[in-house]
Amino acid sequence: SYEELLSVRGMTQNAALFLTSLLEISQRSRLSVAWEVPLEDSYAVAEFGQELFDQVDPERIYLVCLDSSCQTVATAELARGSLEDCELSDNMVLALVNRNAKYAYIMHNHLEDEALPSENDKKFTDKIAEKLRVVGVELKDHIIVGYKTVFSFAFYDYLAE
């Protein structure tokens, strides 16, 4: 973090700001990859998520939306830090409809080796799936990326019908 960098002997404020900015630029660059390749299945999304979340702290929650040919039409960072305060706004739902989104994937990272879903993860997934379903967007999966494992809600039949 910026504060941690400032505690390093010889570190200037400008250097700390520059280094902190590099991390954010790197994250945005990784996210742009979703626009270049079709994300045809959960496996492709999980691979993308592993790259996206490499060295990322705190937890982040993304929604990736695809058209009928599995090309990305929208990506949104829904939250940083916790699912508790995470919400898919009505304005964002309308934007997805306007971009012809047909499918969506939720991705987020856990800051531990295992990528097992919590009860909050399950409730959040059901809530988002319902909001998307109302406007005709199918939630295909919720991918959780840990340091050593990846979890797919679809693979384990955690997605509500």
Side-chain angles (χ1 to χ4, degrees), residues 12-51:
T12 66
Q13 288 181 337
N14 285 341
L17 184 59
F18 173 73
L19 292 172
T20 305
S21 298
L22 280 180
L23 293 173
E24 186 63 32
I25 291 167
S26 171
Q27 184 70 12
R28 288 179 187 207
S29 173
R30 291 180 202 165
L31 190 56
S32 71
V33 169
W35 294 88
E36 297 169 9
V37 296
L39 298 173
E40 296 174 342
D41 56 25
S42 293
Y43 182 79
V45 174
E47 281 189 321
F48 169 62
Q50 286 178 305
E51 175 67 24

Side-chain angles (χ1 to χ4, degrees), residues 27-134:
Q27 184 70 12
R28 288 179 187 207
S29 173
R30 291 180 202 165
L31 190 56
S32 71
V33 169
W35 294 88
E36 297 169 9
V37 296
L39 298 173
E40 296 174 342
D41 56 25
S42 293
Y43 182 79
V45 174
E47 281 189 321
F48 169 62
Q50 286 178 305
E51 175 67 24
L52 178 68
F53 294 125
D54 185 43
Q55 308 287 327
V56 171
D57 184 11
E59 286 188 14
R60 296 180 190 201
I61 299 97
Y62 286 95
L63 184 69
V64 178
C65 296
L66 311 171
D67 63 14
S68 58
S69 62
C70 298
Q71 292 292 329
T72 302
V73 294
T75 59
E77 183 178 297
L78 300 179
R80 286 187 189 198
S82 171
L83 284 175
E84 277 110 31
D85 298 325
C86 189
E87 182 64 44
L88 181 59
S89 71
D90 292 339
N91 286 341
M92 190 176 296
V93 170
L94 288 174
L96 299 178
V97 172
N98 290 337
R99 292 179 183 229
N100 296 317
K102 298 294 180 212
Y103 309 110
Y105 288 87
I106 299 169
M107 294 187 309
H108 84 277
N109 61 320
H110 280 183
L111 302 177
E112 56 246 2
D113 291 342
E114 299 299 319
L116 297 174
S118 67
E119 284 304 313
N120 280 343
D121 292 340
K122 294 173 190 175
K123 289 177 186 173
F124 171 78
T125 302
D126 291 343
K127 184 171 79 172
I128 296 299
E130 182 55 32
K131 275 194 163 189
L132 294 172
R133 190 176 5 257
V134 167

